[in-house]
Amino acid sequence: SPRAGLIWRAMSDTTLKALYGRANRAPNVYESGYDDGLTLVRNAALGSERVDTFELVADHRVSREFALRGAFYHWTMHDLITLGTEPVSGLPQYQSGGKVTARGIEVSADKTWRTGARLRFSLSAQHAANARGERTLNTPRVLAKINLSAPLPIAGLHAAYEFRYDSRRLTLDGSQAGGYALSNFQ
């Protein structure tokens, strides 16, 4: 898969990047070869999915211990493997689907202290749509994460806390599934 990047060190503490990449995912054996004649029909001609990615990234080091990042991205996903209906038998079959585009922006910060404690934060806003311009299913518009970790004075152990938020998303029946927050302590 081709990848290309232009990286410019605009200042001693600021780097700008323009990145392009292409990736593929071949169908797995279940998607292309499983056939029980009752619940799924094989599709030996099923092709690969492909994604083209383009990102603009700005990294800025405020100090040795504190870094900021901002990024804009645009992804185009082609031939997504989706569950459809085989026309002859009427049974479910994995098929190559349409195109989906996603674009978004992300900001993040990373702070480390001399004690070994570290605080990381990221916030993303995104929009994903199918070829008809309709919002895609199960795709939150906002993602946020904050993570704090610190060494403990006991035999090299660390403690960490993480909070994650995913906003509401569109469901198969057209309703909205609520957003959720997840909190972890280790």
Side-chain angles (χ1 to χ4, degrees):
S1 297
R3 300 196 191 297
L6 295 173
I7 301 172
W8 177 42
R9 189 169 181 182
M11 294 180 272
S12 63
D13 52 4
T14 304
T15 303
L16 303 175
K17 303 173 188 176
L19 308 169
Y20 168 78
R22 174 174 282 175
N24 299 288
R25 183 185 80 84
N28 61 43
V29 174
Y30 181 75
E31 292 166 334
S32 64
Y34 184 78
D35 189 338
D36 65 2
L38 298 171
T39 61
L40 195 63
V41 175
R42 148 182 37 181
N43 186 350
L46 187 60
S48 295
E49 298 176 324
R50 186 180 87 235
V51 61
D52 292 307
T53 65
F54 178 72
E55 295 181 64
L56 296 173
V57 181
D59 287 316
H60 179 70
R61 186 154 292 283
V62 176
S63 68
R64 188 174 189 169
E65 299 85 18
F66 185 45
L68 298 172
R69 171 176 279 185
F72 166 78
Y73 64 86
H74 181 88
W75 299 346
T76 305
M77 295 156 273
H78 305 272
D79 301 321
L80 292 179
I81 296 172
T82 59
L83 191 58
T85 303
E86 197 269 331
V88 175
S89 67
L91 293 173
Q93 179 188 58
Y94 284 98
Q95 301 169 345
S96 292
K99 180 173 92 170
V100 172
T101 59
R103 64 183 183 279
I105 188 166
E106 180 177 351
V107 293
S108 63
D110 191 332
K111 169 72 174 161
T112 304
W113 287 269
R114 287 186 204 127
T115 61
R118 185 176 185 189
L119 177 65
R120 293 179 289 176
F121 168 79
S122 67
L123 177 66
S124 301
Q126 63 183 0
H127 176 73
N130 62 25
R132 295 181 302 277
E134 301 164 336
R135 187 173 166 198
T136 57
L137 300 176
N138 201 28
T139 307
R141 292 202 177 201
V142 176
L143 302 165
K145 189 189 309 188
I146 190 165
N147 177 285
L148 176 64
S149 63
L152 297 174
I154 306 167
L157 297 176
H158 278 71
Y161 174 76
E162 180 177 83
F163 178 82
R164 176 181 160 178
Y165 170 75
D166 288 22
S167 68
R168 65 186 183 161
R169 61 200 75 211
L170 185 65
T171 65
L172 191 57
D173 67 5
S175 65
Q176 295 280 332
Y180 67 91
L182 181 65
S183 185
N184 292 309
F185 180 76
Q186 298 179 12

